[in-house]
Amino acid sequence: SQQGEEDPQALSIQEGENATMNCSYKTSINNLQWYRQNSGRGLVHLILIRSNEREKHSGRLRVTLDTSKKSSSLLITASRAADTASYFCATDSSNTGKLIFGQGTTLQVKP
Amino acid sequence: DTAVSQTPKYLVTQMGNDKSIKCEQNLGHDTMYWYKQDSKKFLKIMFSYNNKELIINETVPNRFSPKSPDKAHLNLHINSLELGDSAVYFCASSQDYSTDTQYFGPGTRLTVL
């Protein structure tokens, strides 16, 4: 069964603006990861946040995790046209490498 | 140097045929995975192997059979292809099955006519 649900499904912003994507999940997790997928390409790992962490930064990316609400958010600051892609959250609950993906948010950044 | 590679990139075939997709990783990882991404971009794990041993086997028709000749390769063989098998299939690898980051291949777009 699908674990993650992402919101919004699509987001269109101007270059320079911030983009926020949300992910909700259903069961307890070991960690939550965010991946990016450019059109016609494979997924690229962006950032991982463990269940005992609340916030993590990587460059222009900021991820938060609220385990009480079973939700996470990905913030991309000062967006660029090159950030145009689909973004997926994925949860790991089993320590077997079994990632359960959300349905993704399609981000369009207009130059 | 491509870390995780898949062949072919595109595969168009008729219903009822048997086809294989190959995957190779040069990262020295122990664990490899197959995922299926449907037309709505929903990504679902199918199988994983750790050091040639099957770890994850999701509810997948037994027409799909993974084969791992060594830990750097995980191939996917599909028998009696059906229209619903049309999708993009991604191979991925990780250091081991408890390691967090998975590295994905570029995908194989399978179209069944």
Side-chain angles (χ1 to χ4, degrees), chain A:
Chain A
S1 63
Q2 188 173 343
Q3 166 81 307
E5 293 186 4
E6 295 185 58
D7 166 53
Q9 287 195 339
L11 182 59
S12 182
I13 59 175
Q14 293 294 133
E15 215 168 20
E17 293 180 340
N18 295 343
T20 300
M21 289 159 263
N22 303 297
C23 169
S24 60
Y25 56 92
K26 296 173 185 172
T27 63
S28 61
I29 60 172
N30 297 315
N31 65 67
L32 185 144
Q33 306 177 38
W34 286 89
Y35 286 80
R36 184 187 75 228
Q37 184 179 30
N38 290 85
S39 181
R41 309 289 288 271
L43 279 76
V44 174
H45 183 263
L46 294 176
I47 198 164
L48 177 151
I49 187 163
R50 300 192 186 282
S51 59
N52 61 353
E53 297 175 312
R54 292 296 166 258
E55 188 170 312
K56 212 160 180 185
H57 298 254
S58 176
R60 293 183 297 113
L61 305 181
R62 176 183 155 229
V63 168
T64 62
L65 179 65
D66 186 336
T67 52
S68 66
K69 295 182 180 178
K70 292 187 169 60
S71 68
S72 173
S73 68
L74 170 67
L75 169 67
I76 304 174
T77 60
S79 64
R80 305 166 182 168
D83 295 329
T84 295
S86 293
Y87 292 81
F88 294 87
C89 68
T91 54
D92 173 13
S93 302
S94 64
N95 271 335
T96 62
K98 180 178 173 180
L99 290 181
I100 306 295
F101 282 83
Q103 79 270 29
T105 293
T106 300
L107 173 66
Q108 182 185 30
V109 181
K110 299 176 185 175

